[in-house]
Each structure stands twice: as structure tokens, then as C-alpha cells.
Amino acid sequence: MQQFPDVELSNRLKIPILGLGTSHYGGYSHDAVVYALQQCGVRHIDTAKRYGCEEALSKSISESGVPRDQLWITTKLWPGDYGYRSAKEACRASCQRLGVEYLDLYLMHWPDCGVPGRSNRDVRAETWRALEEMYDEGLCRAIGVSNFLIPHLEELKEDGGVVPHVNQVEFHPFQQPWPLVEFCRREGVAFEGYCPLAKGQALDHPLIVALAHKYGRSASQICIRWSIQNRIITIPKSTKPERIRENCQVFGFTLADGDMERVGRLHTDKKLIRLGYPLWNG
């Protein structure tokens, strides 16, 4: 069974560069997760309270038989739980649902907080203080953020003591936020990209299809390989075992520099996930 390369975080922990994403609205399959863990060598699973599948993931992990210390489990704190006390309560509740004593990575899910009468910055700072304490206690082996832009990270750097270990943001051929990626790397924040297939929209692009033919690979493998080759921690989602296996078979080939550049020119600033409070209720 193959082992995936790691990315070293600023605290020296190593996260597998390829993981399996989960989601709500039918985005979870027990059998597919068990297959990914048992047959594909997946050891990095990404979830969130918002997705509503933490308890299901606990059952899948248990059935897989993979020891806890071989897994990297990420979950996320929903903005409705932001705040010092509520963040700690939410983290412990996630651990209970996941059936674990600690999290490998805990992320603030969105930068916008939506707390009446309080600034987003103040709420983020208070919430981050709770995450820092849980990190110091060992409840979270690493802490980070998701969907944070450069101004949010700059404020958190001023207001907090621990620089986020990870920033998880939308990243695919049509959405390449390189200024944010480079800022994160300068600050020691590992960049993790979700939605690497652009919700399937990249799979029929003529260039991606042509490269798939050139390399004898699938379109999804081209997209994932391109992301990984850019040193982006990548978490494709799938509920189909055959697709998960396909998505994991991306370490036996390399895209030529010219082809990397050609995919790099596909950026149109197309965002499939929009920041903002209305989405939280969607």
C-alpha cells in the first residue's frame, strides 16, 4: 500500500499532502471512507461540524482498523460556536462525536463571525485565544484557519500568539490565489487547497482533457497532480471508492514545467465557494 508524502508544519508536525475531504448534503459514504483507509493508504481525513458527519466518520475509522496514531484528522469550528468558552465546548463536542481524545488539526471555518454588536476582529481574536490554549493543552496538535484572506491573517498575527499552522482555502485551476499562497508561505502558514477539481468543472476543460490524454491519466489526476506539484496540501472529495483510488494514484508521474505553466494560465478568479454570512444558512 502506497504512502503519501508529507508537508512539515511550522511546529514540525507532518501532514499528508493528500487527504480525503468530506461534506454535507450527501457528501459522506461510510463504505468509501473505509475503502480509502484500508485499500488506498489514505491517512488524512478532513471534516467539519458543519458537514454533520463527524459521528459517521468515527464509525468508519473504527471499522477500518487503522490505529488512531496513524491518522491525521482535521475538523472545523463553525462561526456559530465562535467565542472563548463556546469554542472550547465545540472542540470537545467534536472530539466526542469523532471518538477521539485529540484532534490533529482544528480550524476556524470562516473569517466572518456575524456576532451582533461585536467586530469580526474581536470575535476572531477571542476565539483564537481559545484555540491557542487547546493547542497548549494538547487537545489540538495543530490549529489553523479556513478561508482567511491576507488582512484576516495580518490581524490574527497582531492579536494572537501562535501563527496559524494551516490556512485551508479554495484552490483549483480556475481559482489560484497566489498572493495569498505566497503570503502564507512567508509567514510559515501551510497552504491547504480544497475543491481541487473545481466541483468537476475542470474535468472537461480542453487543456485538462488534452493533458490527461498526453500523460495517460484521468482529468481528475491531472488536476490533483498539478495542485500537489505546486506544494499545495490537497483534499479532493468523493463518495465513490473507484474515484478515491483514482485520485490517490497521482504520485507515479510528474507534469512537465511547461504543462504546469499552461494550467497556471487557466486562472479566472472563479470562486465556487463564496465567503459571507448568507452562505452559512444555505
Side-chain angles (χ1 to χ4, degrees):
M1 187 181 298
Q2 69 174 334
Q3 292 184 334
F4 303 156
D6 296 320
V7 172
E8 185 172 280
L9 304 181
S10 60
N11 63 356
R12 302 294 180 89
L13 290 183
K14 294 182 178 180
I15 177 174
I17 196 168
L18 181 64
L20 176 65
T22 60
S23 67
H24 42 36
Y25 303 134
Y28 191 86
S29 164
H30 169 80
D31 291 343
V33 173
V34 172
Y35 180 83
L37 293 170
Q38 288 184 340
Q39 304 298 325
C40 301
V42 171
R43 293 296 180 265
H44 172 186
I45 304 287
D46 180 273
T47 190
K49 175 187 176 181
R50 166 65 170 163
Y51 305 158
C53 57
E54 289 175 327
E55 288 181 322
L57 181 56
S58 173
K59 296 175 183 177
S60 300
I61 290 172
S62 177
E63 184 172 318
S64 77
V66 176
R68 171 67 183 96
D69 61 4
Q70 294 182 18
L71 293 172
W72 182 282
I73 299 175
T74 298
T75 194
K76 307 178 192 75
L77 176 70
W78 190 241
D81 294 317
Y82 283 5
Y84 178 79
R85 181 177 298 177
S86 54
K88 289 192 170 187
E89 292 174 351
C91 181
R92 293 187 175 93
S94 282
C95 285
Q96 185 174 15
R97 287 189 294 270
L98 287 162
V100 299
E101 295 182 354
Y102 64 90
L103 300 172
D104 295 286
L105 177 61
Y106 198 41
L107 304 176
M108 292 177 63
H109 207 145
W110 293 97
D112 297 335
C113 308
V115 178
R118 298 192 61 189
S119 71
N120 285 329
R121 179 173 183 171
D122 285 346
V123 176
R124 285 194 297 265
E126 177 186 324
T127 304
W128 188 248
R129 181 163 59 90
L131 266 66
E132 288 179 328
E133 291 185 7
M134 291 187 288
Y135 172 62
D136 290 338
E137 296 164 6
L139 184 61
C140 307
R141 298 177 68 222
I143 53 176
V145 295
S146 183
N147 302 299
F148 276 45
L149 304 178
I150 292 174
H152 307 130
L153 294 170
E154 289 177 331
E155 290 178 353
L156 203 60
K157 182 180 178 180
E158 294 177 4
D159 298 337
V162 177
V163 174
H165 299 112
V166 172
N167 186 18
Q168 185 185 114
V169 178
E170 181 179 344
F171 186 90
H172 51 75
F174 311 136
Q175 177 55 227
Q176 304 176 38
W178 286 112
L180 177 59
V181 174
E182 295 305 326
F183 177 87
C184 287
R185 288 174 175 169
R186 288 195 303 270
E187 297 295 329
V189 181
F191 192 92
E192 183 171 13
Y194 65 80
C195 213
L197 309 182
K199 291 192 172 182
Q201 295 180 30
L203 302 184
D204 58 1
H205 188 280
L207 174 59
I208 302 298
V209 172
L211 291 176
H213 179 74
K214 174 181 177 179
Y215 289 92
R217 298 283 176 161
S218 69
S220 65
Q221 288 173 330
I222 296 298
C223 291
I224 294 169
R225 179 66 207 179
W226 172 81
S227 180
I228 288 174
Q229 216 165 302
N230 275 308
R231 299 184 294 121
I232 304 293
I233 302 165
T234 306
I235 47 171
K237 298 176 183 178
S238 181
T239 58
K240 299 178 180 179
E242 64 274 15
R243 292 296 186 189
I244 293 174
R245 173 170 289 279
E246 177 183 303
N247 292 345
C248 291
Q249 294 174 337
V250 293
F251 299 103
F253 73 106
T254 301
L255 296 175
D257 291 346
D259 292 331
M260 290 290 293
E261 294 171 2
R262 291 168 69 194
V263 177
R265 290 194 289 270
L266 296 181
H267 174 71
T268 58
D269 200 26
K270 182 175 185 177
K271 294 182 179 179
L272 303 172
I273 304 296
R274 294 180 294 107
L275 298 182
Y277 192 81
L279 183 64
W280 301 353
N281 297 322

